[in-house]
Amino acid sequence: MNKPLRYGVVGNPISHSMSPQLHQQFAEQTGLDIVYSKYCPSTKGFNRVLNDFFQSGGKGLNITAPFKLDALEYADLITDRAKDSNSVNTLVYTPEGILGDSTDGMGFLRDLYAKQKEHNIDFQNKRAVLLGAGGVARCIAQSLLLDGFEVYLINRTLSKAEQLAKDLVHLGTIKLYSVSIAVDLIVNSVSFNAEKFLSQITFADNSVAYNLNYGDKAGQFLEAAKAHTNNQFHGLGMLIEQGAESFGLWTGKYPDTSLVQL
């Protein structure tokens, strides 16, 4: 009898993670027998936990905060999108070594387009403003540029925003936002007090406010966005889509995300 395929998620804290339920549903859909576990190493224990996992036959890991940069350094092979994102959220065992990839940007775009279709939203000019310039914002900026958006940034630390623009210049231009520009898409990657930025933004007709957070963390920003736009979305769909992309990388099978219930 074949042993189940072993996968998992690594983060600290990790108890709140919905990834085990998510990947179990993917496995049931695709007829695979898997075990998906949570791992919560200390900062110093990260490499040891990963070495143990892969050396004992583990096939793939999702990586979440605060280890996405550590995972980038850990991987033997890096995809272009992980390089541009400067982070890795998916590790895949391959005969050539451990492959590091970033599925966050792709997950975000897939969810965004599913919601556009569902709500019949048409972006006039494909202009997006990103709130924040941290790790996940970089993944989003990269995917938006590749998809042909004009990308603008609002960030507390100017040098961080400038660095992000510089790092992704080979994909397109990222500018600092000024209020005269009407945007179709507002993406929040900041955990707290992001709603204070909303009054500084000019919203195009039928624009979308998208919070990469979900659950309680997303509530305040999305509630405040109601004064500016009819379309507010949280990031649970992105979590599902980036998970499906990871699952596909590991198994070669892509689940139907519309069937997921979390």
Side-chain angles (χ1 to χ4, degrees), residues 30-258:
T30 53
L32 292 174
D33 182 15
I34 74 163
V35 172
Y36 189 103
S37 312
K38 295 177 186 176
Y39 300 94
C40 187
S42 64
T43 312
K44 282 183 180 161
F46 177 78
N47 279 24
R48 196 185 67 241
V49 166
L50 267 65
N51 288 341
D52 287 352
F53 176 84
F54 286 114
Q55 283 163 12
S56 63
K59 297 294 182 196
L61 289 170
N62 289 126
I63 308 291
T64 186
F67 296 120
K68 289 184 183 183
L69 210 50
D70 301 277
L72 182 72
E73 287 166 19
Y74 183 86
D76 304 308
L77 312 155
I78 303 284
T79 64
D80 284 346
R81 61 186 179 182
K83 218 173 279 176
D84 287 337
S85 304
N86 199 34
S87 74
V88 158
N89 77 337
T90 306
L91 291 170
V92 189
Y93 174 83
T94 79
E96 290 76 40
I98 305 301
L99 173 73
D101 199 359
S102 172
T103 67
D104 283 330
M106 176 61 80
F108 164 74
L109 275 186
R110 284 207 178 130
D111 185 49
L112 181 67
Y113 286 121
K115 291 197 165 45
Q116 264 188 276
K117 208 171 164 187
E118 196 183 325
H119 298 271
N120 203 17
I121 299 162
D122 180 30
F123 290 144
Q124 291 298 305
N125 297 304
K126 288 188 90 165
R127 286 186 189 137
V129 63
L130 256 175
L131 308 182
V136 72
R138 181 182 288 258
C139 302
I140 304 305
Q142 177 231 10
S143 61
L144 287 171
L145 286 171
L146 286 171
D147 200 56
F149 273 82
E150 283 177 39
V151 179
Y152 298 89
L153 280 183
I154 294 178
N155 193 56
R156 213 177 45 217
T157 320
L158 191 61
S159 59
K160 222 174 169 187
E162 286 168 344
Q163 188 61 51
L164 176 55
K166 196 174 149 191
D167 290 349
L168 295 181
V169 74
H170 60 289
L171 299 178
T173 310
I174 297 176
K175 297 175 186 160
L176 293 173
Y177 180 73
S178 70
V179 77
S180 59
I181 300 156
V183 291
D184 304 295
L185 175 63
I186 299 87
V187 183
N188 175 40
S189 74
V190 181
S191 298
F192 302 105
N193 297 333
E195 52 280 359
K196 66 175 188 269
F197 296 119
L198 290 168
S199 58
Q200 302 169 24
I201 296 167
T202 303
F203 289 72
D205 294 342
N206 220 10
S207 56
V208 167
Y210 191 111
N211 196 337
L212 300 177
N213 304 301
Y214 55 90
D216 296 342
K217 267 187 173 179
Q220 214 167 328
F221 174 80
L222 294 179
E223 194 54 45
K226 284 180 181 173
H228 306 273
T229 162
N230 295 325
N231 308 300
Q232 310 90 26
F233 305 121
H234 57 69
L236 187 60
M238 172 182 161
L239 173 84
I240 293 167
E241 293 292 349
Q242 65 78 28
E245 182 77 1
S246 295
F247 191 85
L249 287 168
W250 295 332
T251 65
K253 293 174 187 272
Y254 285 82
D256 181 349
T257 50
S258 68

